[in-house]
Every structure is written in C-alpha cells, then in structure tokens.
Amino acid sequence: MESSIVQNAPYEVQVEAGKEYWYCACGKSKNQPWCDGSHEGSGVESISFVAEKTETAWLCGCRMSEKLPFCDGTHNDL
Ligand code: FES
C-alpha cells in the first residue's frame, strides 16, 4: 500500500528535546500527524524520531517529502 496524502501542507507541532515521536507515514491515523497503529497490515511503518531541540517542527502532511517525517517544501509542487 502507498501512503496517502492527508493534507497538502505541513503540520505545525511542538516537540521536546530528547523525546521520541512516531510520525504516521501511512496517512491513516486519526491522530495526525502521529501514529495510532492504523498502519497495521498496510505494509507501511510509522517513522520514529528523537527531537534534537525543544522547538516548533513542521511535519509533512502530503507524505511526498524526501526528508520524512519533516516537510521539505515538496507540497508546493503538488
Ligand atoms: S507537507 Fe509534504 S513536503 Fe510539505
């Protein structure tokens, strides 16, 4: 299964330094942009990352970024 486009814009989220997060890569989670386990059986796994800093992060909503889970501006070309 392919990841689905959830929205054509990034999610603005607050992350805390040193904390681990699970980003929904399949697009099916009801708790976007975070994984809620909905990917099970889809062949797409969530993407985990540890925040380096406490800051505002921009997570990809279109799932087309080459730097998942982060937005790289690709949504502007969709
Ligand atoms: S939301 Fe996907 S690249 Fe920006």
Coordinates of all heavy atoms in Angstrom, one line a residue:
M1 N 0.8 -1.2 0.0 CA 0.0 0.0 0.0 C 0.9 1.2 0.0 O 1.9 1.3 0.6 CB -0.9 0.0 1.2 CG -2.0 1.0 1.2 SD -2.6 1.5 2.8 CE -1.6 2.9 3.1
E2 N 0.4 2.3 -0.7 CA 1.1 3.5 -0.7 C 0.6 4.4 0.4 O -0.5 4.3 0.9 CB 0.9 4.2 -2.0 CG 1.3 3.4 -3.2 CD 2.3 4.2 -4.1 OE1 2.1 5.4 -4.2 OE2 3.2 3.5 -4.6
S3 N 1.4 5.4 0.8 CA 1.0 6.3 1.8 C 0.0 7.3 1.1 O 0.1 7.5 0.0 CB 2.1 7.2 2.3 OG 3.1 6.3 2.9
S4 N -1.0 7.7 1.9 CA -2.0 8.6 1.3 C -1.7 10.1 1.7 O -1.3 10.3 2.8 CB -3.4 8.2 1.6 OG -3.5 7.8 2.9
I5 N -2.1 11.0 0.8 CA -1.9 12.4 1.1 C -3.0 12.8 2.1 O -4.2 12.5 1.8 CB -2.0 13.2 -0.2 CG1 -0.9 12.9 -1.1 CG2 -2.1 14.7 0.1 CD1 -0.9 13.7 -2.5
V6 N -2.7 13.3 3.2 CA -3.7 13.7 4.2 C -4.0 15.1 4.0 O -5.2 15.5 4.0 CB -3.2 13.4 5.6 CG1 -4.3 13.8 6.6 CG2 -3.0 11.9 5.8
Q7 N -3.0 15.9 3.9 CA -3.3 17.4 3.6 C -2.1 17.9 2.8 O -0.9 17.4 2.9 CB -3.5 18.1 4.9 CG -2.3 18.1 5.8 CD -2.6 19.0 7.0 OE1 -3.7 19.1 7.5 NE2 -1.5 19.6 7.5
N8 N -2.3 18.9 2.0 CA -1.3 19.5 1.2 C -0.6 20.6 1.8 O -0.3 21.6 1.2 CB -2.0 20.0 -0.1 CG -1.1 20.1 -1.2 OD1 0.1 19.9 -1.1 ND2 -1.6 20.6 -2.4
A9 N -0.2 20.4 3.1 CA 0.5 21.4 3.9 C 1.1 20.7 5.1 O 0.6 19.6 5.5 CB -0.5 22.5 4.3
P10 N 2.1 21.2 5.7 CA 2.7 20.6 6.9 C 1.9 20.7 8.1 O 1.0 21.6 8.2 CB 4.1 21.3 7.0 CG 3.9 22.6 6.4 CD 2.9 22.4 5.3
Y11 N 2.2 19.9 9.1 CA 1.6 20.1 10.5 C 2.6 20.8 11.3 O 3.8 20.5 11.4 CB 1.4 18.7 11.1 CG 0.5 17.8 10.4 CD1 1.0 16.8 9.5 CD2 -0.9 17.9 10.6 CE1 0.1 16.0 8.9 CE2 -1.7 17.0 9.9 CZ -1.2 16.1 9.1 OH -2.1 15.2 8.5
E12 N 2.1 21.8 12.0 CA 3.0 22.6 12.9 C 2.8 21.9 14.3 O 1.7 21.9 14.8 CB 2.5 24.0 13.0 CG 3.3 24.9 14.0 CD 2.8 26.3 14.0 OE1 1.9 26.6 13.3 OE2 3.4 27.0 14.8
V13 N 3.9 21.4 14.8 CA 3.8 20.7 16.1 C 4.9 21.2 17.1 O 6.0 21.6 16.6 CB 3.9 19.1 16.0 CG1 2.7 18.6 15.2 CG2 5.2 18.7 15.3
Q14 N 4.7 21.1 18.3 CA 5.7 21.4 19.3 C 6.4 20.1 19.7 O 5.7 19.1 20.1 CB 5.1 22.0 20.6 CG 4.6 23.4 20.4 CD 5.6 24.4 19.9 OE1 6.8 24.4 20.5 NE2 5.3 25.2 19.0
V15 N 7.7 20.0 19.7 CA 8.4 18.8 20.1 C 9.4 19.2 21.2 O 9.9 20.3 21.3 CB 9.2 18.1 18.9 CG1 8.2 17.6 17.9 CG2 10.2 19.1 18.3
E16 N 9.7 18.2 22.1 CA 10.6 18.4 23.2 C 11.9 17.7 23.0 O 11.9 16.5 22.7 CB 10.0 17.8 24.5 CG 9.1 18.8 25.3 CD 8.5 18.0 26.4 OE1 9.2 17.4 27.3 OE2 7.2 18.0 26.5
A17 N 13.0 18.4 23.3 CA 14.3 17.8 23.2 C 14.4 16.5 23.9 O 14.0 16.3 25.0 CB 15.4 18.8 23.7
G18 N 15.0 15.5 23.1 CA 15.2 14.2 23.7 C 14.0 13.2 23.7 O 14.2 12.0 24.0
K19 N 12.9 13.7 23.4 CA 11.7 12.9 23.4 C 11.5 12.2 22.0 O 11.8 12.7 21.0 CB 10.5 13.8 23.7 CG 9.4 13.1 24.4 CD 8.3 14.0 24.8 CE 7.0 13.3 24.9 NZ 5.9 14.1 25.2
E20 N 11.0 10.9 22.1 CA 10.8 10.2 20.9 C 9.4 10.3 20.4 O 8.4 10.3 21.2 CB 11.1 8.7 21.1 CG 11.1 7.9 19.8 CD 11.6 6.5 20.0 OE1 11.7 6.0 21.1 OE2 12.0 5.8 18.9
Y21 N 9.2 10.4 19.1 CA 7.9 10.6 18.5 C 7.7 9.6 17.3 O 8.7 9.2 16.7 CB 7.8 12.0 17.9 CG 7.8 13.1 19.0 CD1 9.0 13.7 19.3 CD2 6.7 13.6 19.6 CE1 9.1 14.6 20.3 CE2 6.7 14.5 20.6 CZ 7.9 15.1 21.0 OH 8.0 16.0 21.9
W22 N 6.5 9.2 17.1 CA 6.2 8.3 16.0 C 5.2 9.1 15.0 O 4.1 9.4 15.4 CB 5.5 7.1 16.5 CG 6.5 6.1 17.1 CD1 7.1 5.1 16.5 CD2 6.9 6.1 18.4 NE1 8.0 4.5 17.3 CE2 7.9 5.0 18.6 CE3 6.6 6.8 19.6 CZ2 8.5 4.7 19.7 CZ3 7.3 6.5 20.8 CH2 8.2 5.5 20.8
Y23 N 5.8 9.3 13.9 CA 5.0 10.0 12.8 C 4.3 9.0 12.0 O 4.8 7.9 11.6 CB 6.1 10.7 11.9 CG 5.6 11.3 10.6 CD1 4.8 12.4 10.6 CD2 5.9 10.6 9.4 CE1 4.4 12.9 9.3 CE2 5.4 11.1 8.2 CZ 4.7 12.2 8.2 OH 4.3 12.7 7.0
C24 N 3.0 9.3 11.7 CA 2.2 8.5 10.8 C 2.6 8.6 9.4 O 2.5 9.6 8.7 CB 0.7 8.9 10.9 SG -0.3 8.2 9.6
A25 N 3.2 7.5 8.8 CA 3.7 7.5 7.5 C 2.7 7.0 6.5 O 2.7 7.3 5.3 CB 5.0 6.7 7.3
C26 N 1.7 6.3 7.0 CA 0.7 5.7 6.0 C -0.5 6.7 5.7 O -1.2 6.5 4.7 CB 0.1 4.4 6.6 SG -1.0 4.6 8.0
G27 N -0.7 7.6 6.6 CA -1.7 8.6 6.4 C -3.1 8.2 6.9 O -4.1 8.9 6.8
K28 N -3.2 7.0 7.6 CA -4.5 6.6 8.1 C -4.8 6.9 9.5 O -5.9 6.7 9.9 CB -4.5 5.0 7.9 CG -4.6 4.6 6.5 CD -4.4 3.1 6.5 CE -5.3 2.2 5.8 NZ -5.1 0.8 6.1
S29 N -3.8 7.4 10.2 CA -4.1 7.6 11.7 C -5.2 8.7 11.8 O -5.3 9.6 11.0 CB -2.8 8.1 12.3 OG -3.0 8.6 13.6
K30 N -5.9 8.5 12.9 CA -7.0 9.5 13.2 C -6.4 10.6 14.1 O -7.1 11.5 14.5 CB -8.2 8.8 13.9 CG -8.8 7.7 13.0 CD -10.3 7.8 13.1 CE -11.0 6.8 12.2 NZ -10.3 6.2 11.1
N31 N -5.1 10.4 14.5 CA -4.5 11.4 15.4 C -3.3 12.0 14.7 O -2.2 12.0 15.2 CB -4.0 10.6 16.6 CG -3.4 11.5 17.7 OD1 -3.8 12.7 17.8 ND2 -2.5 11.0 18.4
Q32 N -3.5 12.6 13.5 CA -2.5 13.1 12.7 C -1.8 14.3 13.4 O -2.4 15.0 14.1 CB -3.1 13.7 11.3 CG -3.6 12.6 10.4 CD -2.6 11.7 9.9 OE1 -1.4 12.1 9.7 NE2 -3.0 10.5 9.6
P33 N -0.4 14.4 13.2 CA 0.4 13.6 12.4 C 1.0 12.4 13.1 O 2.0 11.8 12.6 CB 1.5 14.6 12.0 CG 1.7 15.4 13.2 CD 0.3 15.5 13.8
W34 N 0.5 12.0 14.2 CA 1.1 10.9 15.0 C 0.5 9.5 14.7 O -0.7 9.4 14.4 CB 0.9 11.2 16.5 CG 1.4 12.6 16.8 CD1 0.6 13.6 17.4 CD2 2.7 13.1 16.6 NE1 1.4 14.7 17.5 CE2 2.7 14.5 17.1 CE3 3.9 12.6 16.1 CZ2 3.8 15.3 17.0 CZ3 5.0 13.5 16.1 CH2 4.9 14.8 16.5
C35 N 1.3 8.5 14.8 CA 0.9 7.2 14.6 C -0.1 6.7 15.6 O 0.1 6.9 16.8 CB 2.1 6.2 14.6 SG 1.7 4.5 14.5
D36 N -1.2 6.1 15.2 CA -2.2 5.5 16.2 C -2.3 4.0 16.0 O -3.3 3.4 16.5 CB -3.5 6.2 16.2 CG -4.3 5.9 14.9 OD1 -3.8 5.2 14.0 OD2 -5.5 6.3 14.8
G37 N -1.4 3.4 15.2 CA -1.5 2.0 14.9 C -2.3 1.6 13.7 O -2.3 0.4 13.4
S38 N -2.9 2.5 13.0 CA -3.8 2.2 11.9 C -3.0 1.6 10.7 O -3.7 1.1 9.8 CB -4.5 3.5 11.4 OG -5.4 4.0 12.4
H39 N -1.7 1.7 10.7 CA -0.9 1.2 9.5 C -0.9 -0.3 9.5 O -0.5 -0.9 8.5 CB 0.5 1.7 9.6 CG 1.3 1.3 10.8 ND1 1.2 2.0 12.0 CD2 2.0 0.2 11.0 CE1 2.0 1.4 12.9 NE2 2.5 0.3 12.3
E40 N -1.3 -1.0 10.6 CA -1.2 -2.4 10.7 C -1.7 -3.1 9.5 O -2.9 -2.9 9.1 CB -1.8 -2.9 12.0 CG -0.8 -3.9 12.6 CD -1.3 -4.3 14.0 OE1 -1.0 -3.5 14.9 OE2 -1.8 -5.4 14.1
G41 N -0.9 -3.9 8.9 CA -1.4 -4.7 7.7 C -1.3 -3.9 6.4 O -1.5 -4.5 5.3
S42 N -0.8 -2.7 6.5 CA -0.8 -1.8 5.2 C 0.6 -1.9 4.6 O 0.8 -1.5 3.4 CB -1.0 -0.4 5.6 OG 0.1 0.2 6.3
G43 N 1.6 -2.5 5.3 CA 2.9 -2.6 4.7 C 3.7 -1.3 4.9 O 4.9 -1.2 4.5
V44 N 3.1 -0.3 5.5 CA 3.8 1.0 5.7 C 4.0 1.1 7.2 O 3.1 0.9 8.0 CB 3.0 2.2 5.2 CG1 3.7 3.5 5.5 CG2 2.8 2.1 3.7
E45 N 5.2 1.4 7.7 CA 5.5 1.5 9.1 C 5.6 3.0 9.5 O 5.9 3.9 8.7 CB 6.9 0.9 9.4 CG 7.0 -0.6 9.1 CD 6.2 -1.4 10.1 OE1 6.0 -1.0 11.3 OE2 5.6 -2.4 9.7
S46 N 5.3 3.3 10.7 CA 5.5 4.6 11.2 C 7.0 5.0 11.2 O 7.8 4.1 11.2 CB 4.9 4.8 12.6 OG 5.5 3.9 13.5
I47 N 7.3 6.3 11.3 CA 8.7 6.7 11.3 C 8.9 7.4 12.7 O 8.2 8.3 13.1 CB 8.9 7.8 10.2 CG1 8.7 7.1 8.8 CG2 10.3 8.4 10.3 CD1 8.7 8.1 7.7
S48 N 9.9 6.8 13.4 CA 10.2 7.4 14.7 C 11.4 8.4 14.6 O 12.2 8.2 13.8 CB 10.5 6.3 15.7 OG 11.7 5.7 15.4
F49 N 11.3 9.4 15.4 CA 12.5 10.3 15.5 C 12.6 10.9 16.9 O 11.6 10.9 17.7 CB 12.3 11.4 14.5 CG 11.2 12.4 14.7 CD1 11.4 13.6 15.4 CD2 9.9 12.1 14.3 CE1 10.4 14.5 15.6 CE2 8.9 13.0 14.5 CZ 9.1 14.2 15.2
V50 N 13.8 11.3 17.3 CA 14.0 11.9 18.6 C 14.3 13.3 18.3 O 15.1 13.7 17.5 CB 15.2 11.2 19.3 CG1 15.5 11.9 20.6 CG2 14.9 9.7 19.5
A51 N 13.5 14.2 19.0 CA 13.7 15.7 18.8 C 15.1 16.1 19.3 O 15.4 15.7 20.4 CB 12.6 16.4 19.5
E52 N 15.8 16.8 18.5 CA 17.1 17.3 19.0 C 16.9 18.5 19.9 O 17.7 18.8 20.8 CB 18.0 17.7 17.8 CG 18.5 16.5 17.1 CD 19.2 16.8 15.8 OE1 19.5 18.0 15.5 OE2 19.3 15.9 15.0
K53 N 15.9 19.3 19.6 CA 15.7 20.5 20.4 C 14.2 20.6 20.7 O 13.4 20.0 20.1 CB 16.0 21.8 19.5 CG 17.4 21.9 19.0 CD 17.5 23.3 18.4 CE 17.9 23.2 17.0 NZ 17.9 24.5 16.3
T54 N 13.9 21.4 21.7 CA 12.6 21.8 22.0 C 12.2 22.9 21.1 O 12.9 24.0 21.1 CB 12.4 22.2 23.5 OG1 12.7 21.1 24.3 CG2 11.0 22.7 23.8
E55 N 11.3 22.7 20.2 CA 11.1 23.7 19.2 C 9.7 23.4 18.4 O 9.1 22.4 18.7 CB 12.2 23.7 18.1 CG 12.3 22.3 17.4 CD 13.4 22.3 16.4 OE1 14.0 23.3 16.1 OE2 13.6 21.2 15.8
T56 N 9.4 24.3 17.5 CA 8.3 24.0 16.6 C 8.8 23.2 15.4 O 9.8 23.7 14.8 CB 7.7 25.3 16.1 OG1 7.2 26.1 17.3 CG2 6.5 25.1 15.2
A57 N 8.2 22.1 15.1 CA 8.7 21.3 13.9 C 7.5 21.3 12.9 O 6.3 21.4 13.3 CB 9.0 19.9 14.4
W58 N 7.9 21.2 11.7 CA 6.9 21.1 10.6 C 7.0 19.7 10.0 O 8.0 19.3 9.3 CB 7.3 22.2 9.5 CG 7.2 23.6 10.1 CD1 8.2 24.2 10.8 CD2 6.0 24.4 10.2 NE1 7.7 25.4 11.2 CE2 6.4 25.6 10.9 CE3 4.7 24.2 9.8 CZ2 5.5 26.6 11.2 CZ3 3.8 25.3 10.0 CH2 4.2 26.4 10.7
L59 N 5.9 18.9 10.2 CA 5.9 17.6 9.8 C 5.1 17.5 8.5 O 4.1 18.1 8.3 CB 5.3 16.6 10.8 CG 6.1 16.6 12.2 CD1 5.5 15.6 13.1 CD2 7.5 16.4 12.0
C60 N 5.5 16.7 7.6 CA 4.9 16.6 6.2 C 3.5 16.0 6.3 O 3.2 15.0 6.9 CB 5.8 15.6 5.4 SG 5.1 15.3 3.8
G61 N 2.6 16.7 5.6 CA 1.2 16.3 5.6 C 0.9 15.6 4.3 O -0.1 14.8 4.2
C62 N 1.7 15.8 3.2 CA 1.5 15.3 1.9 C 2.1 13.9 1.7 O 1.8 13.2 0.8 CB 1.9 16.2 0.8 SG 3.7 16.4 0.6
R63 N 3.1 13.5 2.6 CA 3.8 12.3 2.5 C 4.7 12.1 1.3 O 5.1 11.0 1.0 CB 2.8 11.1 2.6 CG 2.5 10.6 4.0 CD 1.7 11.5 4.7 NE 1.4 11.1 6.1 CZ 0.8 11.8 7.0 NH1 0.3 13.0 6.7 NH2 0.6 11.4 8.2
M64 N 5.0 13.2 0.7 CA 5.8 13.2 -0.5 C 7.2 13.8 -0.2 O 8.1 13.8 -1.1 CB 5.2 14.0 -1.7 CG 3.8 13.5 -2.1 SD 3.9 11.9 -2.9 CE 2.2 11.6 -3.2
S65 N 7.4 14.3 0.9 CA 8.7 14.9 1.3 C 9.9 13.9 1.1 O 9.7 12.7 1.4 CB 8.7 15.4 2.7 OG 10.0 15.8 3.1
E66 N 11.0 14.3 0.7 CA 12.2 13.4 0.7 C 12.9 13.4 2.0 O 13.8 12.7 2.2 CB 13.1 13.9 -0.4 CG 12.5 13.5 -1.8 CD 13.4 13.8 -2.9 OE1 14.6 14.1 -2.7 OE2 12.9 13.7 -4.1
K67 N 12.4 14.2 2.9 CA 13.0 14.2 4.3 C 12.0 13.8 5.3 O 12.0 14.4 6.4 CB 13.5 15.6 4.5 CG 14.6 16.0 3.6 CD 15.3 17.3 4.1 CE 16.4 17.7 3.1 NZ 16.5 19.2 3.0
L68 N 11.1 12.9 5.0 CA 10.2 12.5 6.0 C 10.8 12.1 7.3 O 11.9 11.5 7.3 CB 9.4 11.2 5.5 CG 8.4 11.5 4.4 CD1 7.8 10.1 3.9 CD2 7.2 12.4 5.0
P69 N 10.3 12.5 8.5 CA 8.9 13.0 8.6 C 8.8 14.5 8.4 O 7.7 15.0 8.6 CB 8.6 12.6 10.1 CG 9.9 12.7 10.8 CD 10.9 12.3 9.8
F70 N 9.8 15.2 8.1 CA 9.8 16.6 8.0 C 9.4 17.1 6.6 O 9.7 16.5 5.6 CB 11.1 17.2 8.4 CG 11.5 16.8 9.8 CD1 12.5 15.8 10.0 CD2 10.9 17.3 10.9 CE1 12.8 15.3 11.2 CE2 11.2 16.9 12.2 CZ 12.2 15.9 12.3
C71 N 8.7 18.2 6.6 CA 8.3 18.9 5.3 C 9.5 19.5 4.7 O 10.4 20.1 5.3 CB 7.3 20.0 5.7 SG 7.0 21.2 4.3
D72 N 9.7 19.2 3.4 CA 10.8 19.8 2.6 C 10.3 20.8 1.5 O 11.1 21.2 0.7 CB 11.7 18.7 2.1 CG 11.1 18.0 0.9 OD1 9.9 18.2 0.6 OD2 11.8 17.2 0.3
G73 N 9.1 21.1 1.6 CA 8.5 22.1 0.6 C 7.9 21.4 -0.6 O 7.4 22.1 -1.5
T74 N 8.1 20.1 -0.8 CA 7.5 19.4 -2.0 C 6.1 19.6 -2.2 O 5.6 19.7 -3.3 CB 7.8 17.8 -1.8 OG1 9.2 17.6 -1.7 CG2 7.2 17.0 -3.0
H75 N 5.3 19.8 -1.1 CA 3.9 20.0 -1.2 C 3.5 21.2 -2.1 O 2.5 21.3 -2.7 CB 3.2 20.2 0.2 CG 3.6 21.4 0.9 ND1 4.8 21.5 1.7 CD2 3.1 22.7 0.9 CE1 4.9 22.7 2.2 NE2 3.9 23.4 1.7
N76 N 4.5 22.2 -2.2 CA 4.2 23.3 -3.1 C 4.2 23.0 -4.5 O 3.6 23.8 -5.3 CB 5.4 24.4 -2.9 CG 5.3 25.0 -1.5 OD1 4.2 25.4 -1.1 ND2 6.4 25.1 -0.8
D77 N 4.7 21.8 -4.9 CA 4.7 21.4 -6.3 C 3.6 20.4 -6.7 O 3.5 19.9 -7.8 CB 6.1 20.8 -6.7 CG 7.2 21.7 -6.4 OD1 7.0 22.9 -6.6 OD2 8.3 21.2 -6.1
L78 N 2.8 20.1 -5.7 CA 1.7 19.1 -5.9 C 0.5 19.7 -6.6 O 0.2 20.9 -6.4 CB 1.3 18.4 -4.6 CG 2.4 17.6 -3.9 CD1 1.9 17.0 -2.6 CD2 3.0 16.5 -4.8
Ligands
FES1 S1 3.7 18.9 3.5 FE1 4.8 17.4 2.4 S2 6.5 18.4 1.7 FE2 5.4 19.9 2.8

